[in-house]
Amino acid sequence: MIQSLQDSVELANGTKIPGFGLGVFQVANQDASEAVKEAITTGYRLIDTAQIYGNEEGTGEGIKKGLKAASLERKDLFVTSKVWNNHLSYEDTIQALNESLEKLGLDYLDLYLIHWPGKDAFRTSYKALEDLYRQGKIKAIGVSNFQKHHLEELLNFATIKPVLNQIELHPKLIQKELRAFCKERDIRIQAWSPLMQGQILSDPVLENIAQTHQRSVAQIVLRWDIQQDILVVSKSAKPERIKSNAQLFDFELTQEELSQITALNENLRVGPDPDQFDFV
Ligand SMILES: NC(=O)c1ccc[n+]([C@@H]2O[C@H](COP(=O)([O-])OP(=O)(O)OC[C@H]3O[C@@H](n4cnc5c(N)ncnc54)[C@H](OP(=O)(O)O)[C@@H]3O)[C@@H](O)[C@H]2O)c1
């Protein structure tokens, strides 16, 4: 279990990834710079963006400012981006990565993900990711929103294994089977929408536990992830929440509380179902 914001875990290819990070989905390009800078100066060491978020320029600006303000170097930060669904041909994926690097002002990404599997377009895109990895432009290859059957298909042809699957995961969608499948194959799970985009924050069970610990409901949910060794990216564009959501390392949930939270599962999604999603 990670013990601080700077703590990392080792992925299957030896790359180290911080256990907790800031996601910038639905952060406007002009607001991304401040949010990212705030996160880095607060102590976050992982920033998660994507081609489709339209904020890679602002994110890159925030990275530059944040590293400077915190007296850090590029190597101290872990940056993830993702290739969108209409760029899954080999050539488009290479181009998408190059454009993301340019917008972010970086010469490599720590992790590059195929954002959604698509019907079967991920095959060509994954080949491009393998080549980008061999060239050193990405330090680790991963996927996102891959179900068990997508991973089975991928593992049949991949010459470089994906090290991570970023999926929707929160107390209403605990993803028990997919987590077990990935664990057996050394593919780390990273949770997206851990707060269910805010929709889980008024749950009475969580409110009760939050009251016991004198913590926010967001902190309780994020701590539930950390105590289960689930990597997590959480979003806020508000400085005070960026700070408070990261205060997760000075309290502990009991086994009973962890079980109560896990029992909230309803297999309920806030985002699209990867098998139903209209892909472009
Ligand atoms: N791979 C994928 O397909 C995929 C899909 C979705 C998301 N993601 C990644 O996962 C990250 C996190 O997911 P998410 O952005 O969907 O949702 P989330 O982190 O579950 O929730 C974010 C929402 O909760 C609010 N919030 C945050 N902290 C709060 C607090 N302490 N109290 C009250 N409200 C709070 C935020 O509002 P404010 O900003 O106003 O604070 C925002 O509306 C994304 O940013 C993105 O990087 C990936």
Side-chain angles (χ1 to χ4, degrees):
M1 179 170 69
I2 57 161
Q3 306 294 337
S4 74
L5 263 191
Q6 293 80 35
D7 226 356
S8 295
V9 304
E10 197 168 305
L11 298 170
N13 71 338
T15 301
K16 291 203 165 131
I17 182 168
F20 182 77
L22 183 81
V24 292
F25 178 43
Q26 293 177 327
V27 180
N29 193 44
Q30 65 270 23
D31 300 330
S33 176
E34 266 319 291
V36 168
K37 180 184 170 211
E38 181 70 37
I40 295 171
T41 53
T42 296
Y44 287 64
R45 294 294 175 264
L46 187 159
I47 305 296
D48 182 274
T49 185
Q51 180 184 24
I52 194 71
Y53 299 171
N55 59 19
E56 288 176 309
E57 278 157 348
T59 297
E61 208 177 286
I63 289 173
K64 210 166 153 189
K65 286 187 188 159
L67 291 180
K68 191 168 177 209
S71 302
L72 295 170
E73 296 172 30
R74 167 69 183 92
K75 67 172 172 48
D76 301 319
L77 194 69
F78 192 102
V79 184
T80 304
S81 193
K82 317 177 191 90
V83 55
W84 187 242
N85 308 342
N86 56 359
H87 284 74
L88 297 183
S89 75
Y90 182 91
E91 292 76 18
D92 284 356
T93 301
I94 302 278
Q95 192 187 337
L97 180 274
N98 285 328
E99 282 175 11
S100 287
L101 287 178
E102 198 178 318
K103 286 182 180 163
L104 286 161
L106 301 176
D107 53 14
Y108 70 90
L109 286 181
D110 296 278
L111 179 65
Y112 198 44
L113 308 177
I114 296 179
H115 208 142
W116 291 85
K119 300 235 174 345
D120 54 11
F122 68 84
R123 287 177 153 268
T124 44
S125 188
Y126 197 82
K127 285 280 164 213
L129 261 61
E130 291 184 329
D131 286 347
L132 292 165
Y133 178 77
R134 288 190 189 98
Q135 291 162 18
K137 287 192 165 182
I138 55 181
K139 302 290 180 197
I141 302 180
V143 293
S144 177
N145 301 304
F146 274 45
Q147 306 277 56
K148 181 170 169 265
H149 67 94
H150 297 119
L151 288 168
E152 278 169 339
E153 192 184 333
L154 177 62
L155 292 170
N156 274 335
F157 69 83
T159 55
I160 300 168
K161 269 182 43 174
V163 293
L164 183 143
N165 187 15
Q166 187 184 92
I167 57 172
E168 182 178 347
L169 194 161
H170 42 68
K172 301 275 184 193
L173 180 72
I174 63 169
Q175 301 268 25
K176 192 173 169 205
E177 283 163 22
L178 188 51
R179 275 159 64 190
F181 178 86
C182 288
K183 192 168 186 184
E184 274 171 28
R185 286 153 187 83
D186 219 356
I187 300 170
R188 288 297 296 231
I189 292 289
Q190 189 179 49
W192 64 253
S193 293
L195 307 177
M196 224 181 155
Q197 297 183 351
Q199 289 178 36
I200 206 163
L201 299 177
S202 53
D203 180 274
V205 171
L206 295 172
E207 280 180 337
N208 199 23
I209 297 172
Q211 206 171 13
T212 306
H213 289 272
Q214 292 291 293
R215 294 284 170 160
S216 70
V217 172
Q219 289 168 332
I220 298 299
V221 177
L222 296 170
R223 180 73 199 177
W224 171 82
D225 285 299
I226 285 170
Q227 284 188 224
Q228 295 178 96
D229 283 328
I230 297 170
L231 306 175
V232 54
V233 283
S234 179
K235 177 258 174 179
S236 177
K238 298 193 166 65
E240 67 279 13
R241 289 181 182 165
I242 290 173
K243 285 197 187 75
S244 72
N245 287 355
Q247 284 160 18
L248 304 171
F249 302 99
D250 56 351
F251 73 104
E252 196 162 342
L253 299 171
T254 64
Q255 280 307 322
E256 172 60 25
E257 288 166 338
L258 291 174
S259 303
Q260 276 177 15
I261 299 171
T262 301
L264 295 175
N265 183 44
E266 296 174 23
N267 296 326
L268 189 64
R269 292 180 186 273
V270 70
D273 181 330
D275 284 321
Q276 308 295 333
F277 191 37
D278 178 3
F279 282 95
V280 207

